[in-house]
Amino acid sequence: MMQAQQEANQQIMQDMMNRMTASCFKKCAGTSGDKLDSREQSCMAMCQDRYLDTRQQVQEALQKRQGMQH
């Protein structure tokens, strides 16, 4: 049972990372060719940081709510 939960959590994290990458790439990547220029790289880094910060805040809020229910 525990292994199935870990595998499910890994899949959820992988899906989140894929969505984050696609979303940030769509927002930040321009037409600079096959490599990101420094502006695009900076945009990608900031976008990913915001995405992960938001995810952490949501997770903390959910844990707080779960703690209040018990």
Side-chain angles (χ1 to χ4, degrees):
M1 181 74 171
M2 188 68 120
Q3 183 178 0
Q5 182 64 38
Q6 288 175 341
E7 289 175 6
N9 287 343
Q10 286 177 333
Q11 184 62 46
I12 290 167
M13 285 299 293
Q14 185 64 45
D15 290 345
M16 184 202 70
M17 295 301 288
N18 289 340
R19 284 192 311 273
M20 176 187 68
T21 301
S23 175
C24 290
F25 188 83
K26 184 177 179 180
K27 177 184 178 196
C28 296
T31 57
S32 62
D34 60 348
K35 293 185 178 181
L36 297 174
D37 64 24
S38 61
R39 181 188 56 78
E40 292 166 329
Q41 289 176 15
S42 177
C43 179
M44 285 288 291
M46 289 188 297
C47 180
Q48 290 171 340
D49 287 346
R50 283 192 306 269
Y51 202 99
L52 294 173
D53 287 345
T54 301
R55 180 194 164 276
Q56 183 177 357
Q57 289 176 352
V58 169
Q59 185 175 2
E60 289 171 1
L62 289 173
Q63 288 173 345
K64 186 177 178 181
R65 280 190 186 176
Q66 288 175 345
M68 294 173 77
Q69 292 177 354
H70 292 257

